[in-house]
Amino acid sequence: MVTYIAEAEFPFFSSTVRRVLKRHYLACYVHRSISKEIIAELVETTESDILTPSSDGGRNVIDFFEGPEPEDFLDGGYYTAVEKAILAALNFIDELRDLPQESLKAKYDEVKRRATERDSVRLIDGERNAFFHQPEAYADFAYWADVAGFTPEECVALMLGRDPRIVNSKSLSEAGGFSPFAQEFKDRLRKVERAVTMGELGVPVASRALAKWALRNGPAPDAAVTEWFQSLANSAVKPPPDDDQEKVGGPRSLYKLVVGMAMRNYGFKKNYIPDDKLESFQAITDDLASVGLNIDVKTVRKYLVDGMRLLQERGDFTK
């Protein structure tokens, strides 16, 4: 408790400073004599951090400087200031150790409370000024309403009301530091990725499917996001491609080919449950590799499951 309180009162009195002082224990702690050699060692060891004022309040070394001009501080004038600051910190520690335990604990609790409040204010200010809370980071729902499908990251950004081109895992990681918003982005992304793995969502995620899933797995950050998802969820499903489109080989025809061959030659079933593990997925992967076409087994599984779902929804199976 003593060290914690002392560092709050004298921010420069860090563990690095204390290690240097302990190397000169008799001079510093017993005789209370801080020579220029010790001060030079302190400045060098801390890489001049001991001279840098802290933004967390407390008394800094420069507060003990009594020179006529501020620029004299860094021009050798800091020697006397460092000596006075170190002695003030050591005397303060002596006073703390003389306090009754109850008084020391009360002082510790008060210092910790102020530090918590300061950290909270700093976090709120940092969050408020972060790039993902700036006007340009918010999603233009009119634009994204015309996009047919989304990646998991795009889903999360839109669920948080943000433009996926600006707010994504890469940009949040590059911003650095802890952020409640960034943590929520990570948490929601894990949920979306799990939904994809379990077959609740396909990839790319269809806009209408995302809307329904998001409404079930909210909450949305504001009413505008909720209203957008509701409008998507209630929008009419686009009709399937017409015969002319099918003749030139659209995605639906490709799904028929892939799913049909998997059912005929690899034991893939119409009633396949996403949680089931079938050897057919690996068999397909191995056969493709044998002719020089490499693909991940998870990708094989995803497209077969997505294709089966699409063909069933559109009534393509005649028996």
Side-chain angles (χ1 to χ4, degrees), residues 140-152 154-156 158-159 164 192 200-216 225-239 313-314:
D140 178 359
F141 291 128
Y143 167 83
W144 291 100
D146 292 332
V147 177
F150 310 102
T151 66
E154 289 173 338
C155 291
V156 175
L158 292 169
M159 289 171 68
V192 172
E200 294 181 27
L201 295 172
V203 177
V205 182
S207 58
R208 195 161 179 262
L210 168 62
K212 291 184 175 181
W213 189 89
L215 291 171
R216 293 195 308 269
V225 177
T226 300
E227 290 175 4
W228 185 64
F229 280 132
Q230 287 175 338
S231 67
L232 284 181
N234 296 327
S235 62
V237 179
K238 291 182 179 180
E313 287 177 352
R314 297 188 174 180

Side-chain angles (χ1 to χ4, degrees), residues 4-10 55-59 92 106-122:
Y4 183 84
I5 298 171
E7 283 196 40
E9 182 68 21
F10 300 94
S55 60
D56 292 337
R59 304 179 68 187
F92 181 70
K107 195 171 188 66
Y108 170 81
D109 291 340
E110 175 60 20
V111 170
K112 198 159 189 178
R113 183 190 64 77
R114 291 202 305 266
T116 301
E117 289 181 352
R118 184 175 60 247
D119 291 344
S120 297
V121 170
R122 184 178 297 154

Side-chain angles (χ1 to χ4, degrees), residues 32 48 100 107 135-137 140 143 149 155 161 166 185 190-191 238 306:
R32 300 294 166 95
S48 298
K107 195 171 188 66
E136 60 272 16
D140 178 359
Y143 167 83
C155 291
I166 297 175
F185 188 98
R190 280 194 290 267
K191 291 180 179 179
K238 291 182 179 180
D306 288 350

